[in-house]
Amino acid sequence: MIIGGSASQKLAANVAEELEDCLCSIETKKFPDGERYIRIKGKIDKEAVIVQSTGYPQDENLIELLFLIQNLKDLGCEKIKVVIPYFGYGRQEKRFKEGEAISAKIVANLIEKSGADEILSINLHEDSVREFFTIPTKNISAMGAIAEYIDNITEEPIIIAPDKGALSFAEEIAKILDCRCTYMNKVRLGPDKVETKIADIRCDFDPDDPELKDLKKNEEKKVDIQSVEGKEAVIIDDIIATGGTIVNAIGILKEHGAKSVNVCCVHPLLVNDAILKIYAAGAKSIAGTNSLKSEVSCISIAKVIADALK
Ligand code: R5P
């Protein structure tokens, strides 16, 4: 029995199709005063899977998820697997400044206390978020699906991580596609301001070279800095929010003569005019997964989720 919350209805339907499981319908609405209403229609199975991302509007989607979980438990469901393709509040996984709420921990507590038995998420911003749960929690990678997409739109790509945090994604894709990857240095100056430098660009990273496997060793080795000139660059990041990170990266790649720059991400948050800014900076295309609904969510993670649930 698969249930899709408002944020992930189509994805839930696709997961149900992959698993050849039945898709349960729900009624969800807002009362005139803004409060949420949830009703699960049909017979309740002993086991259920809920699919619900908690992106914008985060609080509403989260409340809906909590209502779904606890309602299912109250109605006799014994085991509930909760798939949260995009885990909202996941970026505040620690107290960066004194007195801050550790939002990711609070959200994890709420979900677990509501009655979830297992959690599955896709490319959590920080894997450490799993530690806030005491129930089994999987953090699945969408890089296989993204690599397949990149393979279809490029001949000989070079995968670019716009910051060090995204390097593991670039490496994962480079390994699948047997191509090169590199990263840039980024410093965040504020929620919507980042500074990016090309200082450490590493274009001749061979993912199969055992000596270069470990990033630290690789940095010590200071591999030759090569140009991206004439190359089909593909930027990969977990999240595109304001687009600032990607705009900076495109600028540097264009400056260094990249033939084209395609942009991929797992979670297309795309705040305000992010899409426009990225195209205006010179992107050939922007693609994200359907962990969140958006104009660019063309890479399906239904199979990735279904395989993890099997
Ligand atoms: C940060 O560490 C993330 O991986 C993304 O790079 C970041 O969230 C992107 O934010 P923005 O699009 O606002 O630059």
Side-chain angles (χ1 to χ4, degrees), residues 91 125 163 186 188 191 237-245:
R91 283 178 286 178
H125 184 63
D163 57 32
K186 179 183 91 179
R188 183 162 289 282
D237 208 348
D238 60 339
I239 293 170
I240 301 178
T242 64
T245 301

Side-chain angles (χ1 to χ4, degrees), residues 235-301:
I235 304 175
I236 176 71
D237 208 348
D238 60 339
I239 293 170
I240 301 178
T242 64
T245 301
I246 301 293
V247 166
N248 283 2
I250 294 174
I252 289 174
L253 292 167
K254 288 271 170 190
E255 229 173 82
H256 287 74
K259 183 165 98 186
S260 61
V261 184
N262 290 289
V263 176
C264 292
C265 72
V266 183
H267 308 297
L269 254 66
L270 305 170
V271 179
N272 300 329
D273 56 350
I275 294 185
L276 202 60
K277 276 184 351 199
I278 294 170
Y279 275 117
K284 187 173 171 192
S285 72
I286 312 172
T289 79
N290 52 353
S291 72
L292 291 167
K293 292 185 268 189
S294 82
E295 275 182 71
V296 306
S297 303
C298 60
I299 304 170
S300 179
I301 47 168

